[in-house]
Amino acid sequence: GAVVSQHPSWVICKSGTSVKIECRSLDFQATTMFWYRQFPKQSLMLMATSNEGSKATYEQGVEKDKFLINHASLTLSTLTVTSAHPEDSSFYICSAPETGLNIQYFGAGTRLSVL
Amino acid sequence: LAKTTQPISMDSYEGQEVNITCSHNNIATNDYITWYQQFPSQGPRFIIQGYKTKVTNEVASLFIPADRKSSTLSLPRVSLSDTAVYYCLVGDRNFNKFYFGSGTKLNVKP
């Protein structure tokens, strides 16, 4: 299957700082990528849909000014958690569907801990 | 939008066949059914996808009845390494709308 790389895998930051997470499709182009958040022992919660060359679409209840998404190329989307607070601590996962296939391929996830 | 329902957890023993069912009563005509496996602190991994009847690959089978209101993931002869959470996802092929189930925690015992 297609490979999606996510970086970093783990990040610790101080409250009030911003953190950027990268999601790359390594062997295919992705005009669309998805960002999820997952709390312990819970399912994945879709946060937003990242669209190459246009604005991201956010799910209801997700603050777009808090979670900035940039999809500047066909292989890279970034999620920036701005002014992070302890309640933003979570597991963030990205995915990308390979063009023509109805399958989402997921990154390994990023564990964010805000102190 | 098809909401999905899965059992919270299941136990099995090594070498047994495991069947995990997902209910999706409101599945739409354009929706596909996809199953993923997730280990702790990792992203989900694609297992299998189907639209109707039966699909089989090297790791699993997917059974979908004619009314498509449910689907069953079948894992043959599980091993300890199959201990994970299994999610069903229902959605259209353009990802306009899709829904992850709550996941089934499979615990394989020796």
Side-chain angles (χ1 to χ4, degrees):
Chain A
V3 178
V4 174
S5 173
Q6 188 171 341
H7 178 80
S9 57
W10 190 22
V11 57
I12 301 174
C13 70
K14 294 182 179 180
S15 186
T17 61
S18 295
V19 174
K20 180 184 285 188
I21 302 169
E22 293 187 348
C23 182
R24 294 180 184 273
S25 56
L26 296 187
D27 50 1
F28 66 102
Q29 294 182 332
T31 56
T32 300
M33 292 185 177
F34 301 104
W35 287 96
Y36 295 85
R37 184 173 182 176
Q38 187 175 36
F39 293 105
K41 298 184 188 280
Q42 293 189 23
S43 184
L44 287 78
M45 181 187 74
L46 180 65
M47 300 175 62
T49 301
S50 174
N51 303 299
E52 188 269 335
S54 63
K55 292 183 178 180
T57 303
Y58 292 83
E59 295 300 303
Q60 188 174 5
V62 178
E63 300 177 60
K64 59 181 180 181
D65 294 330
K66 174 75 170 177
F67 300 99
L68 299 180
I69 291 173
N70 186 4
H71 195 152
S73 78
L74 288 172
T75 59
L76 174 63
S77 175
T78 60
L79 169 68
T80 301
V81 183
T82 62
S83 186
H85 292 283
E87 57 266 29
D88 298 322
S89 298
S90 191
F91 191 55
Y92 294 87
I93 312 171
C94 70
S95 75
E98 188 171 5
T99 303
L101 295 181
N102 189 29
I103 301 169
Q104 291 187 45
Y105 294 100
F106 287 83
T110 297
R111 175 75 58 193
L112 171 63
S113 297
V114 184
L115 305 178
Chain B
L1 184 61
K3 183 174 181 178
T4 64
T5 303
Q6 302 177 233
I8 295 175
S9 64
M10 295 181 67
D11 288 333
S12 180
Y13 291 93
E14 283 191 290
Q16 289 186 331
E17 177 185 78
V18 171
N19 295 310
I20 306 174
T21 298
C22 179
S23 297
H24 27 79
N25 292 320
N26 298 320
I27 190 168
T29 303
N30 295 330
D31 286 344
Y32 283 73
I33 301 153
T34 310
W35 284 82
Y36 292 88
Q37 176 192 56
Q38 187 182 29
F39 296 112
S41 298
Q42 294 187 26
R45 183 177 71 97
F46 170 78
I47 301 174
I48 198 167
Q49 183 183 78
Y51 182 80
K52 61 180 178 181
T53 62
K54 177 184 174 182
V55 180
T56 298
N57 62 20
E58 62 275 10
V59 297
S61 294
L62 178 60
F63 298 92
I64 305 169
D67 64 3
R68 304 199 328 123
K69 292 182 182 298
S70 67
S71 59
T72 299
L73 172 71
S74 180
L75 305 172
R77 297 179 299 280
V78 295
S79 63
L80 295 176
S81 62
D82 292 317
T83 293
V85 178
Y86 292 82
Y87 293 97
C88 71
L89 182 149
V90 176
D92 65 50
R93 64 182 307 122
N94 294 319
F95 302 101
N96 293 319
K97 292 182 179 180
F98 55 90
Y99 192 88
F100 260 102
S102 55
T104 298
K105 175 71 167 67
L106 173 64
N107 184 29
V108 180
K109 303 176 183 178

